[in-house]
Amino acid sequence: MSSSTKKLTKDECQAYLQHSVFPLRDSDYSEKYPKWPGSIGIEAEVTYLNPETFVRTPLYGKNGTIDCLMKIADSFGWQCLDANGKQTANNQDVFKIAINENEYLTFEPGGQVEFSTRPFPCLDAAMERLHDVQDKIMEALSAGHWQSLYLGLDPWNDVEDVGLQMAKPRYQIMDKYFSKISSYGQRMMRQTNSLQVNLDFGVDDSTLARRYLGAQLLAPIATATFAFS
């Protein structure tokens, strides 16, 4: 930490966790959506590859993932942003793609594309939005003859084949750390896909506590259910 960098206090860290990690539902949510117990969002992380050779889609370069996405971005009003959040037309500088103010396409260490929806009042609406954006992604990548891989683990390309395609500083740190332990951490970063469901904590502290406890109790069951998917 440089001498000019302000040191965070415990209170600042606690405030960040409260407002950014554990936010409660908006007070007017129940009035707007009395039918639903809370908002829901989905994150889908997908790998793309050549369906004949099973070679992974490169993240950068001609006809790579970002190059293909940039060709349709303007038509859908998407903005290609660099690491500083500035709009860029250079595919080598693209860090993420803003679909709108609350939805983004981001890129995982192995070049997987992750779409994060905004919160919706019900699952049907979130799924409809997910399919809409995924169809647009598939339309873009089909120009490079790439297809989506809806599997939890890419069985054709190993850690070295995939490489570290999105080299964010934290990904570099994680990759270096995992490489000292075993191959599994790097495999998680580079070879896996995921579907994540995000549920809000409710309107008050009591609901938050019950839902958080419920999520912790359900985690082992979910892990066992999908361990060999």
Side-chain angles (χ1 to χ4, degrees), residues 1-2 5-16:
M1 180 180 291
S2 67
T5 303
K6 182 183 177 226
K7 188 174 182 179
L8 290 173
T9 67
K10 179 181 177 181
D11 288 342
E12 288 172 331
C13 293
Q14 185 173 355
Y16 175 81

Side-chain angles (χ1 to χ4, degrees), residues 40-89:
I40 183 171
I42 301 175
E43 298 174 46
E45 182 183 309
V46 181
T47 291
Y48 295 88
L49 44 70
N50 184 304
E52 296 179 357
T53 64
F54 301 108
V55 171
R56 289 276 285 267
T57 312
L59 189 56
Y60 294 101
K62 186 176 181 181
N63 287 328
T65 301
I66 289 176
D67 187 51
C68 290
L69 289 171
M70 290 186 77
K71 292 174 182 175
I72 68 161
D74 285 344
S75 63
F76 295 121
W78 298 356
Q79 293 187 340
C80 300
L81 308 176
D82 63 19
N84 297 312
K86 305 282 188 180
Q87 194 163 359
T88 180

Side-chain angles (χ1 to χ4, degrees), residues 151-153 220-229:
L151 289 177
L153 180 74
I221 299 172
T223 300
T225 300
F226 296 101
F228 295 98
S229 62

